[in-house]
Amino acid sequence: MDEFRKYLSLPVTVSLKDNSPLIWWKEQECNFPAVATMARDFLSVSGTGVPTERTFSLATDLLGPKQMLTSAETIKR
């Protein structure tokens, strides 16, 4: 059985002792080396979209509902 199937055969963990999936994967790295590497890559991405979301959210603070109907060219000016 390959390591991914071995991982999928584990029972579902409802709660982690420290609530950190990254620490769980670090502890399981010896059992699932390739899957642990992929999991850490995937789980570590979550914070990178925050600055972009803040930038787009800022537009609603700058423009009211009526101004949202304004064309992009007028807003640029």
Side-chain angles (χ1 to χ4, degrees):
M1 186 156 60
D2 65 4
E3 69 180 81
F4 185 66
R5 290 184 195 278
K6 183 178 172 185
Y7 164 71
L8 289 177
S9 70
L10 291 175
V12 175
T13 302
V14 176
S15 173
L16 300 173
K17 61 183 173 190
D18 55 12
N19 280 336
S20 175
L22 288 170
I23 291 174
W24 187 89
W25 277 110
K26 182 65 178 168
E27 293 170 353
Q28 300 300 317
E29 187 173 24
C30 60
N31 298 323
F32 313 105
V35 179
T37 300
M38 289 187 294
R40 283 195 308 269
D41 287 345
F42 178 78
L43 292 169
S44 64
V45 172
S46 63
T48 60
V50 173
T52 305
E53 290 298 323
R54 284 187 188 146
T55 301
F56 284 109
S57 296
L58 183 62
T60 58
D61 294 338
L62 297 174
L63 303 172
K66 288 183 181 179
Q67 288 84 11
M68 289 294 203
L69 300 175
T70 309
S71 72
E73 192 58 38
T74 304
I75 292 172
K76 285 180 187 177
R77 284 189 226 141

